[in-house]
Each structure stands twice: as structure tokens, then as C-alpha cells.
Amino acid sequence: MATLLLNQDINSTVSETKIHSLSQAFSWIIDWTWKKFPNPLIVGIAAIVLSSWFVRTPYKWVVYLLKWPLRIRGKRNISVGPSIDILEYANIEWKGDTRQAEKLRMAYEDIYLLHHIKHMRRIRGDNYCALRAVLFQIFSQGIPLPSWMKEQDITKLPENIFMHGCNWVQQYNFGPERYTGNNVFGKLRKCLELLQVQWMNFHGIKDQEKRTAMCIKLFSKQESEYKMFEAMKFLMLYTVFELHEGLKDGEDVPGFCSIFFARDSSPDPLSFMMNHLNQVGDTGGLEQIEMFLLGCTFQLKIRTFRLYKHGTEEYVTCYPQDCQREWHEILILTEDDRHYNIPITCE
């Protein structure tokens, strides 16, 4: 009983001390205000404002701290948006009378009327944008693995490149994550394994609606999607390595290679990795010539509506242009060759 009374006295003392300290602070501020501004009106306003703050502020912080875990828990990674009407999007996003706005509205109307595409999905416009748009289409359409990825264990490709004398692969960057040294092989192996498993899983789902729903769920998990994008990046690097070796041996290579390897910044795989690929996901996205490489790597015909090129021969471009007949086709659209969205041909 004595202990209980002692605890009550202590709690009472603490409360009184807090109230006393707040009262002292309040009195000091009022006294200082009166000395600086000897005007009853100003002092009265200050007293009202401060009394309101002293009473309400502690409770505001308590409410904020209680709600904070709920905000974190409810926060979702929305990287692929829902289906939206393509004309409605164009009229909202490109309202106005500028030449650019009118041109892009006409391009969207062309897609709607001539290509019979009524809806689209918006893609998060970060530096993984192109990879996200392409991979979402691959998974949602249930496209099978490329033949070359079926014929070998892709999780061993990083070590294979290293064994061919390419020790520079240890300088591979995972988006904003810098040089990882020997750890690069284990990290890449996990990324490649995740991409392969998910690709095969989606190919095995025959129901289109179920496939799309699961695809949206997967792309809401940021860590997983970033790992898959890094796997795609590495497979593009491996393709560059193979194409460069073929070029040195006098083999036939796709037409875009003449431009790709002619760049001062990518005459060989190492230069491509250091000057271009390591920036993808961090400070830059894929350039147009690298879209050709993306299609070549995954044996896809990436038909792209380049809306700002509406009315020219470049309005609809295929990456790559010399794709093979058995390659699957996917559709994407862009307003600037940097940010890509997904046109929906069917639900």
C-alpha cells in the first residue's frame, strides 16, 4: 500500500513538474513579448496562440506517432497502374493549345481509331521504366523463355564471363548500389534465378485474367522487381559479350551492332557496362539503341508507338528491326523515348 502511494506521489510530482515547466516557458515568452512589444493587443494575440499550441501540440504528436506504423504498413509500391481509357488520359495529360499537346492528342486518337487500342497502363517513370514495361508484357502475355535461355543454366553466366578473362564484371552496379567485388556473383545468381523462376511460372498460367492479376501483385514488390530488372541488365551485357565475340570472329550479327559498337562510349562490353549499363536504374534509363539490344536479348519484337514522331515514318518502330519470324511481339508506347507506358489490346 505504501509502495502504491509512493508511485502515485511520484507520478503526481512528475506531472506537476511538466506542467510547471510548461507554465514557466509560457510565462517567459509572454514576458519577453511584453518587453519587446509593449502593446496589450499583440501580447494578447501571442497568449492565445501559445496557449493553443501548448495544449494541442503534445496530443498532435501522440496521434501522429500512433498513426505512423499504419501509414508505413499501408504504403504500396505501385509501379504498374490500372487500366485507364487512352483518350481520357490524353485529354487530361495533354490539355492545352500548344503544338506538342495537339500533336500528342492526335497520336493517341490515332492509336484509338486506327489501331483499335482503347486502354493503357501507366508505368512508373523511374530509370527502370523500359525494363518494367517490357517485362510486364512478357509475364502478362505468358511468353515463353527465349530458346538460348532454355539451353543453358543462366545462373552460371556471370562466372562463365569471368572465366573468359572478363574480371571487370566484378564492377557491375546494381542500380544505385556501387561496386560489390566478389559479392557480385552471388547477387547476380539470385537475381537471375528469380527472373527465371518467375518467367517460367507465368508462362505456365493459362488463364489471362489470373496471369494479369498475379503480374500486378508481383510488380508491387519493389525488391523483387528490382532484382528481375538487374537480371535483365546482366543478360543484356552477356548478349553484348556474345555479339562482340561474334563480330571479332567475322560472324553475322544483327544490324544495330554497327551503330552500337561504333559509339565511342561502347566499343566493347566493358565500355558498355561502365558508361551505360551501370547507370540504368540509377541515374539513367535505356537509350534508343539499347532498346534494339533489349529486343535481341529476349528474342522479342518490341513494337513501339513513338507518339512525338506522329506523322513520320518513325511513328511506329520495331526493336530490333531484323527480328526473326518466331519471336513474340509486345507493344509499348512512349512520348519521349525515355518514359514508356503499356497499351492494352485485350483484357
Side-chain angles (χ1 to χ4, degrees), residues 264-277:
D264 293 337
S265 56
S266 62
D268 52 63
L270 170 59
S271 301
F272 168 63
M273 184 186 77
M274 298 301 294
N275 297 324
H276 296 276
L277 200 64

Side-chain angles (χ1 to χ4, degrees), residues 303-347:
R303 190 152 67 99
T304 306
F305 293 98
R306 303 169 71 199
L307 304 183
Y308 74 104
K309 295 284 188 179
H310 183 255
T312 71
E313 293 181 354
E314 297 177 280
Y315 171 51
V316 180
T317 301
C318 290
Y319 304 124
Q321 294 175 332
D322 50 354
C323 54
Q324 298 181 23
R325 184 178 301 176
E326 65 271 16
W327 291 6
H328 291 266
E329 178 181 283
I330 65 170
L331 300 179
I332 58 176
L333 60 85
T334 179
E335 297 170 353
D336 54 12
D337 280 341
R338 292 189 300 273
H339 179 214
Y340 295 87
N341 289 318
I342 298 174
I344 301 174
T345 54
C346 63
E347 283 289 331

Side-chain angles (χ1 to χ4, degrees), residues 203-216:
H203 176 59
I205 300 172
K206 302 306 178 185
D207 183 81
Q208 171 69 45
E209 187 175 344
K210 181 180 179 182
R211 214 169 38 230
T212 301
M214 290 186 65
C215 202
I216 292 172

Side-chain angles (χ1 to χ4, degrees), residues 4 14 45 62 87 92 99 122 131-132 145 155 167 173 181-182 191 218 220 236 238 258 267 289 299:
L4 178 60
V14 172
I45 293 172
V62 170
L87 291 183
I92 293 173
R99 287 187 62 186
R122 297 187 67 178
L131 297 174
R132 181 180 290 113
L145 282 166
T155 63
N167 57 353
N173 286 348
N182 291 331
C191 293
L218 175 63
S220 68
M236 292 171 67
Y238 180 78
S258 59
I289 189 64
Q299 297 182 349

Side-chain angles (χ1 to χ4, degrees), residues 69-269:
L70 298 176
R71 287 173 180 161
I72 296 299
R73 185 181 298 177
K75 189 177 180 181
R76 293 184 60 212
N77 171 54
I78 303 176
S79 61
V80 180
S83 173
I84 57 176
D85 183 273
I86 203 165
L87 291 183
E88 184 178 339
Y89 167 81
N91 290 329
I92 293 173
E93 198 72 15
W94 294 102
K95 57 186 176 183
D97 299 326
T98 65
R99 287 187 62 186
Q100 184 185 22
E102 291 178 356
K103 184 173 187 176
L104 288 170
R105 285 201 304 269
M106 286 180 60
Y108 278 109
E109 289 175 8
D110 179 85
I111 291 176
Y112 186 92
L113 296 173
L114 300 183
H115 298 275
H116 309 293
I117 296 172
K118 314 298 183 185
H119 298 86
M120 59 175 276
R121 294 185 187 276
R122 297 187 67 178
I123 300 296
R124 176 188 289 167
D126 60 13
N127 290 317
Y128 284 121
C129 184
L131 297 174
R132 181 180 290 113
V134 169
L135 189 61
F136 186 91
Q137 290 285 67
I138 292 171
F139 285 0
S140 63
Q141 293 183 29
I143 294 173
L145 282 166
S147 57
W148 73 270
M149 289 175 62
K150 295 177 183 178
E151 295 166 358
Q152 57 187 317
D153 184 357
I154 62 171
T155 63
K156 295 181 179 179
L157 294 181
E159 285 89 348
N160 291 349
I161 286 184
F162 182 81
M163 294 298 289
H164 278 81
C166 302
N167 57 353
W168 46 259
V169 76
Q170 294 178 91
Q171 299 179 62
Y172 180 94
N173 286 348
F174 295 81
E177 186 178 340
R178 300 302 178 188
Y179 173 69
T180 52
N182 291 331
N183 294 334
V184 72
F185 300 109
K187 290 172 69 68
L188 279 172
R189 193 181 304 113
K190 291 178 180 178
C191 293
L192 291 163
E193 185 177 5
L194 177 63
L195 176 65
Q196 186 177 45
V197 168
Q198 292 293 346
W199 198 320
M200 293 173 67
N201 286 344
F202 278 98
H203 176 59
I205 300 172
K206 302 306 178 185
D207 183 81
Q208 171 69 45
E209 187 175 344
K210 181 180 179 182
R211 214 169 38 230
T212 301
M214 290 186 65
C215 202
I216 292 172
K217 184 178 180 180
L218 175 63
F219 279 77
S220 68
K221 301 174 182 177
Q222 188 175 85
E223 184 179 356
S224 295
E225 68 164 3
Y226 283 8
K227 284 181 179 178
M228 293 188 294
F229 301 151
E230 290 301 326
M232 295 175 75
K233 281 172 51 181
F234 177 78
L235 292 173
M236 292 171 67
L237 177 61
Y238 180 78
T239 301
V240 170
F241 171 77
E242 291 283 288
L243 292 173
H244 190 257
E245 290 296 306
L247 197 62
K248 290 193 298 184
D249 294 339
E251 299 175 4
D252 290 335
V253 294
F256 74 89
C257 290
S258 59
I259 299 175
F260 187 92
F261 291 116
R263 296 188 298 181
D264 293 337
S265 56
S266 62
D268 52 63

